[in-house]
């Protein structure tokens, strides 16, 4: 999934149709990739990983706009599952 695909899905998720926020949202996508990588996850160009980046970018957007935005459980669960499946695949090899 490309960053353009992620941006399109992120805009639907956030209910944003204007291109005025595109630069900001692209920055959030890049930040989401960096934060996910910092957790030890190696991202691939798959739809699953693209959706993980989108969920994290949406969380960053909402966290900035809401005062007490907690990381959604579904996002933490997805990050943990992605990391555990990666670690499991590495130990199987």
């Amino acid at each position: 999934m490309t960053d353009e695909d992620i941006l399109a899905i992120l805009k639907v998720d956030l209910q944003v149709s204007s291109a005025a926020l595109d630069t900001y949202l692209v920055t959030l996508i890049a930040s989401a990739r960096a934060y996910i990588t910092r957790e030890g996850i190696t991202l691939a160009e798959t739809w699953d990983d693209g959706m993980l980046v989108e969920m994290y970018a949406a969380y960053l957007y909402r966290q900035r706009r809401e005062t007490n935005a907690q990381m959604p459980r579904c996002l933490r669960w997805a990050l943990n599952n992605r990391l555990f499946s990666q670690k499991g695949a590495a130990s199987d090899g």
Side-chain angles (χ1 to χ4, degrees):
M1 180 182 286
T2 66
D3 282 354
E4 291 81 23
D5 295 328
I6 296 170
L7 176 61
I9 295 168
L10 179 60
K11 289 174 80 170
V12 170
D13 185 2
L14 298 175
Q15 299 178 347
V16 173
S17 58
S18 170
L21 288 177
D22 283 4
T23 301
Y24 178 62
L25 295 177
V26 167
T27 302
L28 290 180
I29 291 168
S31 296
R33 283 186 188 281
Y35 292 141
I36 292 169
T37 301
R38 203 169 300 142
E39 289 204 26
I41 296 171
T42 303
L43 293 168
E45 293 296 321
T46 64
W47 286 96
D48 289 346
D49 283 355
M51 288 304 296
L52 184 60
V53 171
E54 187 280 330
M55 287 192 307
Y56 206 114
Y59 158 65
L60 292 174
Y61 179 86
R62 290 181 178 114
Q63 181 186 35
R64 176 80 188 242
R65 298 186 62 85
E66 300 169 15
T67 54
N68 291 323
Q70 298 288 323
M71 179 179 283
R73 282 189 193 179
C74 64
L75 176 55
R76 176 48 51 202
W77 180 83
L79 289 166
N80 288 344
N81 281 342
R82 180 64 177 83
L83 183 60
F84 294 148
S85 69
Q86 177 181 304
K87 298 282 184 190
S91 66
D92 289 343

